[in-house]
Amino acid sequence: MLQQDQTRPETPSAAEPWSATTRFHPYAATGGVPLMDVAERYGTPAYVVDEADLRGRCRAFRAALPDADILYAAKAFLCRAMATWIREEGLGLDVCSGGELAIARSVGFPAERIVFHGNAKTPHELLEAVEYGVGRIVVDNLAEIPRLAVLVPPGRRQKVLLRVIPDIEAGAHAAIRTGGEGQKFGLSIASGDAAAAVTRVLRQPELELVGLHCHLGSQIFAAEPYEQAARVMVEQLALVRDTYGIVLPQLDLGGGQGIAYLGTEHGLTPGGYARTVVKAMEERCAALGLPVPRLTIEPGRSISGPAGLTLYRVIAVKRTLTRTFVAVDGGMSDNPRPSLYGARYTARLIGRRSTAPARQVTLVGHHCEAGDVIAESVPLPADVRPGDVVAVPATGAYHYSMASTYNLTGRPPVIAVADGAARVVVRREEIDDLLRRDVGL
């Protein structure tokens, strides 16, 4: 029999950073499915995806920006089920590799709703994108322009966007800030590469320049950087008009909207983002006598991140003079973000009632690395013990997609929950899968 979790007073539903359908009274459940049932049936560690929450976030973006193209950024999390949900919700898909495109193709994702990104697309990836007929390709460097043009069949034109650098720094960590000079993405306005790219694309009859693109970074909690980017990019559209006599109809401002990982945080809402960005675009366009372009945005983490949680089973509890370590059966192979970016998480004991007071612990993984830390200073009951199950929220983005087989540990399954039912959408990676790729001597 499942019992109420922990001892603090419970509310009818969880708040950020937990998904919309996650409940902790009378027991922990997501999508109407008891989380202990998931742990016992599918094992741990396991990624759990709240389908209703995810679909709701897609709809929230569509409602906030009904006249915009909403493209889900596949790099955050993609599998066949996810691509199908995105297709059914009417969103487009932003892919940045041949593998992501292959997943999209495997579920019949409409080609015209796909945008292909990447700072170093291989010739084969470009060919696959052209052959599938993706709606737009984002040109990221000058060398890509002739390389792409020769791949376009006679009688066709490939629509392209030019990714430019607005020189706006935003994002939670230096490694995920992509809107400034001095990083690998985009064409520099300051150096003249952006202007040169416009000229070169316009000289290629196989290519159709339809707009400009930028991306500031990830985990941006305020709308102001997007407002600034919208103004800069509208000015670039006006410069293209004044220089070449053409009005580009599209503007892609990328994604990067932040989400809550801790109970003290609040994500940037679609409505808050939309009000600020649309107003900035309209005002700047009016001042410059420019038609308002069709807006495209690329939310990824803000759609899939809050919809996910990860279940772990406690293996050991170790108390030193200064810290208490709670070691679980997963770690940096299924969540590399703390070791990469210093990302912070919270966790919660599920599956049993505890009357013990909370104690600050360090939740660590089972990998042979001192940096294999999942969460620092997490309040868990002082009697947490081997065999317990803990849940970590906000793991729906950049967990499955960045998972590895470090220490030859198989990657966890992805379990979708909705309407009281659970199903495997990505199976667990077993040792036989790892051995099958090792061809021996």
Side-chain angles (χ1 to χ4, degrees):
M1 177 70 68
L2 292 170
Q3 296 178 304
Q4 182 172 316
D5 302 286
Q6 303 189 26
T7 57
R8 64 189 179 197
E10 298 292 342
T11 57
S13 64
E16 289 184 305
W18 302 92
S19 75
T21 74
T22 296
R23 306 287 187 267
F24 293 111
H25 178 78
Y27 51 81
T30 298
V33 179
L35 291 176
M36 285 302 295
D37 286 1
V38 174
E40 290 164 4
R41 180 178 177 186
Y42 301 105
T44 55
Y47 300 121
V48 179
V49 178
D50 182 343
E51 183 181 342
D53 180 280
L54 192 148
R55 288 180 181 271
R57 293 177 189 279
C58 292
R59 293 167 189 172
F61 273 106
R62 288 176 55 207
L65 292 162
D67 298 321
D69 290 332
I70 313 296
L71 309 177
Y72 170 69
K75 66 178 183 174
F77 165 63
L78 189 67
C79 62
R80 289 175 174 174
M82 182 64 179
T84 300
W85 298 334
I86 294 299
R87 184 193 68 209
E88 291 174 349
E89 292 301 329
L91 273 62
L93 197 62
D94 151 25
V95 304
C96 59
S97 74
E100 291 174 359
L101 181 61
I103 291 290
R105 295 181 68 166
S106 73
V107 300
F109 202 96
E112 66 276 9
R113 282 160 50 188
I114 296 176
V115 170
F116 201 111
H117 272 280
N119 71 297
K121 309 175 196 69
T122 68
H124 185 66
E125 287 175 326
L126 287 174
L127 179 61
E128 289 179 323
V130 170
E131 288 181 342
Y132 193 53
V134 301
R136 288 162 286 178
I137 293 177
V138 180
V139 171
D140 196 274
N141 58 76
L142 295 174
E144 196 167 76
I145 297 169
R147 187 178 300 142
L148 174 59
V150 300
L151 297 174
V152 180
R156 276 183 51 191
R157 297 185 77 196
Q158 175 62 57
K159 293 181 179 180
V160 300
L161 300 167
L162 293 180
R163 178 166 178 170
V164 303
I165 302 172
D167 201 20
I168 298 169
E169 294 284 354
H173 188 279
I176 52 176
R177 296 174 193 149
T178 59
E181 294 281 352
Q183 45 75 39
K184 71 176 186 175
F185 296 102
L187 295 149
S188 172
I189 296 171
S191 74
D193 275 2
V198 174
T199 300
R200 295 187 190 188
V201 171
L202 293 178
R203 289 175 179 170
Q204 296 286 353
E206 300 87 0
L207 304 180
E208 180 185 357
L209 180 61
V210 296
L212 301 180
H213 174 283
C214 74
H215 181 74
L216 303 183
S218 294
Q219 273 300 85
I220 302 170
F221 288 101
E224 286 72 21
Y226 295 107
E227 176 184 18
Q228 185 181 355
R231 295 181 183 278
V232 169
M233 296 299 289
V234 167
E235 290 166 3
Q236 290 302 306
L237 291 174
L239 182 60
V240 171
R241 177 201 60 188
D242 296 342
T243 304
Y244 301 96
I246 60 171
V247 175
L248 300 180
Q250 300 180 23
L251 176 59
D252 190 329
L253 292 179
Q257 295 86 355
I259 67 168
Y261 284 95
L262 304 174
T264 55
E265 297 176 338
H266 297 284
L268 178 58
T269 66
Y273 170 90
R275 285 188 295 272
T276 300
V277 169
V278 171
K279 180 181 178 183
M281 284 177 54
E282 291 177 345
E283 289 180 348
R284 198 69 191 118
C285 284
L288 295 170
L290 193 71
V292 177
R294 183 172 179 84
L295 176 64
T296 297
I297 66 168
E298 301 165 353
R301 184 198 315 262
S302 52
I303 287 177
S304 64
L309 63 86
T310 304
L311 300 176
Y312 299 104
R313 194 170 293 276
V314 176
I315 302 298
V317 178
K318 183 184 297 183
R319 295 178 176 87
T320 70
L321 292 178
T322 58
R323 303 169 81 180
T324 297
F325 294 97
V326 175
V328 299
D329 54 359
M332 65 190 300
S333 63
D334 60 75
N335 181 6
R337 294 187 67 254
S339 58
L340 288 175
Y341 311 132
R344 297 180 63 200
Y345 289 83
T346 189
R348 184 161 182 154
L349 175 69
I350 66 169
R352 70 175 177 90
R353 179 183 290 116
S354 173
T355 58
R359 173 181 294 171
Q360 299 291 316
V361 306
T362 301
L363 193 67
V364 298
H366 72 151
H367 293 288
C368 195
E369 291 282 344
D372 181 23
V373 175
I374 298 172
E376 293 273 12
S377 301
V378 175
L380 289 178
D383 66 349
V384 62
R385 54 183 181 258
D388 280 338
V389 174
V390 296
V392 175
T395 64
Y398 302 108
H399 290 70
Y400 170 80
S401 64
M402 298 178 74
S404 73
T405 58
Y406 183 49
N407 291 153
L408 290 180
T409 298
R411 287 167 288 196
V414 179
I415 313 299
V417 293
D419 300 322
R423 70 187 191 282
V424 176
V425 295
V426 180
R427 68 171 176 82
R428 185 180 300 279
E429 189 173 35
E430 305 288 357
I431 189 63
D432 284 348
D433 296 311
L434 303 179
L435 290 173
R436 193 173 298 118
R437 295 181 62 245
D438 190 335
V439 298
L441 298 177

